[in-house]
Amino acid sequence: GAVVSQHPSRVICKSGTSVKIECRSLDFQATTMFWYRQFPKQSLMLMATSNEGSKATYEQGVEKDKFLINHASLTLSTLTVTSAHPEDSSFYICSATLPHHAWGPQDYGYTFGSGTRLTVV
Amino acid sequence: DQQVKQNSPSLSVQEGRISILNCDYTNSMFDYFLWYKKYPAEGPTFLISISSIKDKNEDGRFTVFLNKSAKHLSLHIVPSQPGDSAVYFCAASAEGGSYIPTFGRGTSLIVHP
């Protein structure tokens, strides 16, 4: 089945540095990818919608200059956390929608990556 | 304003018993409902779903019930197993929203041996 690969799985960086997280669709082309952040109280917060070849659409309250999203190809979206601070430490997850012909019988083709644990020290 | 609500942040169940996870929604335009399971440090994985034209969908030990009039759905796991211990997210989507799911906050299920 279709797979969304996310890398790295975990990263530790110093405060003030930038970190890039990659999200790849391995066997399909994803015109749209999504970036989530999971907060300590479990909830998944949609940060932004990444559209291939155009600017990302950010959810209200998400700083676009801090969380840079690039979707330069149909198989890769990147999230760069710029000038990271300890409060940016979190679990970041990407997801992608599969093309219609690849939808499973029930899941409507919404697939998640394995997530990235970011720790800023 | 949360459109999908999981009011129980956690649930503890004995192995072999039934686990019932609840979810409420407010947007009447939602026509597709999904449950995802998430282990720590992993991305959510699809578990089961139900279309608004149905009131029940069953897959092995997992059954999802939908009550449209009450805008309520529930996930039943029977019998519960320790490996079912995870966070369960309820999600809802609509054709008008390109089927991009809106997620609840999740319920952490712990199944005790």
Side-chain angles (χ1 to χ4, degrees):
Chain A
V3 175
V4 173
S5 174
Q6 195 170 334
H7 178 81
S9 58
R10 58 178 61 218
V11 58
I12 300 173
C13 71
K14 290 185 177 180
S15 187
T17 62
S18 296
V19 174
K20 181 184 286 188
I21 303 170
E22 294 186 347
C23 181
R24 294 182 184 272
S25 56
L26 292 187
D27 50 5
F28 66 99
Q29 293 182 330
T31 55
T32 305
M33 290 183 172
F34 306 87
W35 288 96
Y36 290 84
R37 180 174 178 177
Q38 184 178 24
F39 286 94
K41 292 289 186 182
Q42 302 169 177
S43 63
L44 288 173
M45 183 194 81
L46 177 64
M47 298 175 66
T49 302
S50 171
N51 303 296
E52 186 269 336
S54 64
K55 290 183 178 180
T57 304
Y58 290 82
E59 296 299 306
Q60 191 173 12
V62 178
E63 299 176 60
K64 59 181 69 176
D65 293 330
K66 179 161 190 64
F67 298 100
L68 298 179
I69 291 172
N70 184 278
H71 195 155
S73 78
L74 286 169
T75 59
L76 173 65
S77 175
T78 59
L79 168 67
T80 301
V81 183
T82 62
S83 186
H85 291 285
E87 57 265 31
D88 298 325
S89 298
S90 192
F91 193 64
Y92 294 87
I93 312 170
C94 71
S95 66
T97 52
L98 302 178
H100 194 179
H101 65 81
W103 283 3
Q106 295 195 53
D107 64 6
Y108 269 77
Y110 200 79
T111 303
F112 286 92
S114 55
T116 298
R117 168 68 64 190
L118 169 63
T119 304
V120 185
V121 297
Chain B
D1 178 33
Q2 267 192 289
Q3 296 190 65
V4 178
K5 301 176 185 179
Q6 292 176 259
N7 293 320
S8 297
S10 63
L11 175 67
S12 183
V13 172
Q14 202 69 31
E15 180 180 7
R17 307 293 285 268
I18 185 171
S19 296
I20 300 176
L21 296 94
N22 294 302
C23 179
D24 297 291
Y25 62 96
T26 57
N27 188 342
S28 58
M29 298 301 291
F30 287 139
D31 52 15
Y32 211 70
F33 305 89
L34 309 94
W35 285 93
Y36 286 82
K37 179 178 180 179
K38 184 185 181 301
Y39 292 116
E42 294 183 11
T45 55
F46 170 76
L47 185 60
I48 193 170
S49 66
I50 189 167
S51 163
S52 60
I53 62 173
K54 295 186 175 182
D55 54 19
K56 177 182 175 181
N57 187 26
E58 192 172 353
D59 183 4
R61 297 185 297 113
F62 302 91
T63 303
V64 56
F65 295 92
L66 175 63
N67 183 334
K68 283 186 62 180
S69 61
K71 293 190 177 67
H72 176 83
L73 64 153
S74 59
L75 173 67
H76 293 211
I77 305 173
V78 56
S80 302
Q81 299 173 354
D84 296 329
S85 298
V87 176
Y88 290 80
F89 288 97
C90 170
S93 65
E95 182 177 1
S98 300
Y99 292 111
I100 299 170
T102 299
F103 287 88
R105 292 185 180 273
T107 296
S108 176
L109 172 66
I110 299 173
V111 180
H112 298 282

